Amino acid sequence: MPPTGPQSVDRALAILDAVADAPGPVGAKALARRMECSLSTAYHLLAPLTARGYLVRTARGYVLGPRIPGLHRSLLRHLEPAPRMAGLLTRLRRTTGAEAYYTAYRGGLITVVDTTAPAADAANPFAPGRETRAHATAHGKVLLAELPRPLRRRYLAEHGMARLTGATITSAELLEAELSRVRGQGFALSIGEADPAYTCLAVALPRGRDHDGDTVHALSVSLPTEEFRRRPREIRTALGQAAADCA
């Protein structure tokens, strides 16, 4: 990703991303190589991140620090109805047997805010964090369908419509037709569009009391496509009931 601000700030954030994405502790030398900077520069950047609790230095390298969970809690406080979403996701997971997700559009970004999928489940294709495949996911489609057309066009222009599988919609015209169907039927479905083995189903949630007024929320589930095809009506009914419970 190209720099988007002062070099030191951009590099510090890139270090934070690198540690977050790594499977285990990361040494300063490895981070310096990744940032294409000197070891002394890497330590200069690591010092404030460690002092503020974003990173912790261990014997094996740097890992995420105690400030990170606090950031997520702050995000939940700012995103109504997120504070009461965890229990709802757990009940939906128990009812359907599928992993459940809470997703939000805010300020031009779509984020998977929370999920029942274990953090260690590398096979699950929908992890918490920024979502860049909105055109190919059910939660992305249902959120895009709720947006005014200018905001939707701006989002797609900024994030593109990459082909992820043979089923991915990559035409803006075809996606508009798909989103029209989503609005008409009240839910979005993605069968193998983001991951060839998975299906996801999503519904939009009532708008919360947002500070900026442009936030849209979605509730969704994902599961292997073969399993979804055995009981689509049951899963859709359970998702609709969970969304109603959130109102």
Side-chain angles (χ1 to χ4, degrees), residues 109-157:
L109 297 177
I110 290 177
T111 304
V112 179
V113 180
D114 204 0
T115 174
T116 58
D121 184 3
N124 192 287
F126 310 113
R130 185 173 177 177
E131 177 61 271
T132 59
R133 308 162 297 171
H135 63 295
T137 66
H139 49 259
K141 288 182 192 178
V142 82
L143 292 171
L144 291 173
E146 290 285 307
L147 295 179
R149 190 162 186 167
L151 286 181
R152 185 162 63 247
R153 284 181 168 177
R154 185 184 311 163
Y155 179 91
L156 293 172

Side-chain angles (χ1 to χ4, degrees), residues 31-50:
L31 290 169
R33 287 195 298 270
R34 178 159 179 172
M35 298 303 109
E36 298 182 345
C37 66
S38 67
L39 183 58
S40 62
T41 297
Y43 278 123
H44 177 75
L45 297 169
L46 286 162
L49 291 171
T50 304

Side-chain angles (χ1 to χ4, degrees), residues 159-236:
H159 295 85
M161 299 175 64
R163 181 173 296 283
L164 305 172
T165 74
T168 306
I169 297 174
T170 59
S171 159
E173 182 178 350
L174 291 177
L175 183 63
E176 280 296 329
E178 172 75 356
L179 298 182
S180 179
R181 283 192 292 271
V182 168
R183 287 188 290 271
Q185 65 193 11
F187 64 89
L189 184 64
S190 170
I191 301 178
E193 295 178 45
D195 184 289
Y198 277 80
T199 286
C200 54
L201 180 70
V203 294
L205 298 177
R207 292 177 183 262
R209 300 183 295 275
D210 305 303
H211 297 294
D212 51 21
D214 74 342
T215 305
V216 187
H217 312 271
L219 188 63
S220 63
V221 294
S222 77
L223 67 168
T225 295
E226 290 184 6
E227 184 178 347
F228 173 79
R229 285 176 171 158
R230 287 197 294 268
R231 48 195 184 94
R233 183 174 299 179
E234 173 192 336
I235 294 170
R236 192 162 61 240

